Amino acid sequence: MRSLTVCAALEPDELRRLADILQTMRVDSSQTLFSEGDAADALYNVTAGTVKLYKLLPDGRRQITGFLVTGDFLGLAVNESYAYTAETVTTTTLCRFPRRKMETLLDEFPKMQRRLFSMASNELAAAQDQMLLLGRKTAKEKICSFLLMLSQRAARRGHKDNPVFVPMSRADIADYLGLTTETVSRTFTQLKTSGAISLQEGNKILIADMDVIYDMAEGS
């Protein structure tokens, strides 16, 4: 797990310095870590579980901008306040770093600074992928792309890529993909009826044929 986190770039003595400032947290599901507009006084590294990030639109609608899992970093802020709300989807464990102390260590450990920059670059790439999902794809293409994203993310972390673990609610998926909850449920039913997927216990979805899901995601 450490190879996926910000700690991967550090030597043993540097890890000890980092351990001196971190706090390990275990947070139940559906709990808010911080809200949009709160003072950005800490950074977090997810070590287990799933966290969703979202913004509230002026009319009260919610746009989920990402789902974070093991190894992902959150809480980076350009200004003095958080630009989004972070809430746990499942029971989650995290490392919490006081922002000021972390900034001091980043000045001392350029390798960790580069690691954070790399992780931020990955976030940007994920945001660009989501823009494509929201702007150009049909509901079925969005759902298939979402399943592939979760599958590929699991594989990168050394887990099985199929069946796909989907801990998010249908409402969460809808708010991430720019769909209604009803459309998400209907699309999953269509995919199930066609034999492309099957629903399993433990919030898992078995993909019958990855190539077929990939073709659907690409509109083929």
Side-chain angles (χ1 to χ4, degrees):
M1 181 273 295
R2 185 167 75 84
S3 65
L4 300 170
T5 69
V6 70
C7 305
L10 301 183
E11 300 296 332
D13 58 327
E14 296 170 334
L15 278 172
R16 286 190 289 271
R17 291 282 306 280
L18 190 64
D20 288 339
I21 70 167
L22 72 81
Q23 172 192 2
T24 301
M25 303 172 56
R26 184 180 184 277
V27 184
D28 291 336
S29 61
S30 303
Q31 300 299 307
T32 300
L33 295 175
F34 55 79
S35 297
E36 182 179 353
D38 285 352
D41 57 0
L43 301 92
Y44 302 83
N45 212 168
V46 180
T47 55
T50 304
V51 176
K52 63 187 174 190
L53 310 180
Y54 66 86
K55 294 178 70 72
L56 292 177
L57 304 179
D59 61 4
R61 288 179 298 164
R62 182 184 67 164
Q63 176 63 57
I64 292 180
T65 59
F67 295 102
L68 307 185
V69 295
T70 302
D72 289 329
F73 206 79
L74 66 152
L76 290 172
V78 176
N79 300 313
E80 294 300 312
S81 59
Y82 294 116
Y84 51 80
T85 298
E87 182 181 317
T88 55
V89 175
T90 65
T91 298
T92 303
T93 57
L94 310 102
C95 292
R96 180 185 185 276
F97 307 94
R99 181 180 177 183
R100 301 306 177 198
K101 293 181 179 179
M102 187 66 161
E103 288 173 346
T104 298
L105 285 185
L106 288 175
D107 289 337
E108 293 185 41
F109 304 150
K111 287 184 295 185
M112 187 163 67
Q113 197 171 58
R114 289 193 294 271
R115 173 73 170 172
L116 270 180
F117 179 78
S118 174
M119 295 171 82
S121 298
N122 291 337
E123 284 186 21
L124 179 60
Q128 291 170 333
D129 288 342
Q130 191 199 18
M131 288 174 64
L132 176 63
L133 277 179
L134 295 178
R136 295 295 179 185
K137 293 197 171 188
T138 66
K140 182 179 288 186
E141 290 166 357
K142 289 179 179 181
I143 294 295
C144 291
S145 296
F146 181 70
L147 291 175
L148 288 174
M149 178 195 75
L150 295 180
S151 174
Q152 292 162 2
R153 180 183 285 184
R156 287 195 298 270
R157 283 158 173 77
H159 303 307
K160 290 182 63 176
D161 61 352
N162 195 24
V164 183
F165 180 50
V166 186
M168 309 83 179
S169 68
R170 297 293 188 260
D172 282 349
I173 296 171
D175 286 349
Y176 179 68
L177 297 176
L179 302 170
T180 64
T181 304
E182 293 76 15
T183 298
V184 169
S185 296
R186 184 169 60 250
T187 304
F188 272 119
T189 298
Q190 291 171 349
L191 291 171
K192 178 184 175 183
T193 302
S194 70
I197 64 171
S198 59
L199 307 183
Q200 299 191 332
E201 293 183 355
N203 297 320
K204 293 180 179 179
I205 293 178
L206 180 67
I207 296 175
D209 189 322
M210 282 287 185
D211 290 338
V212 169
I213 293 297
Y214 181 82
D215 287 343
M216 289 182 180
E218 295 301 311
S220 301

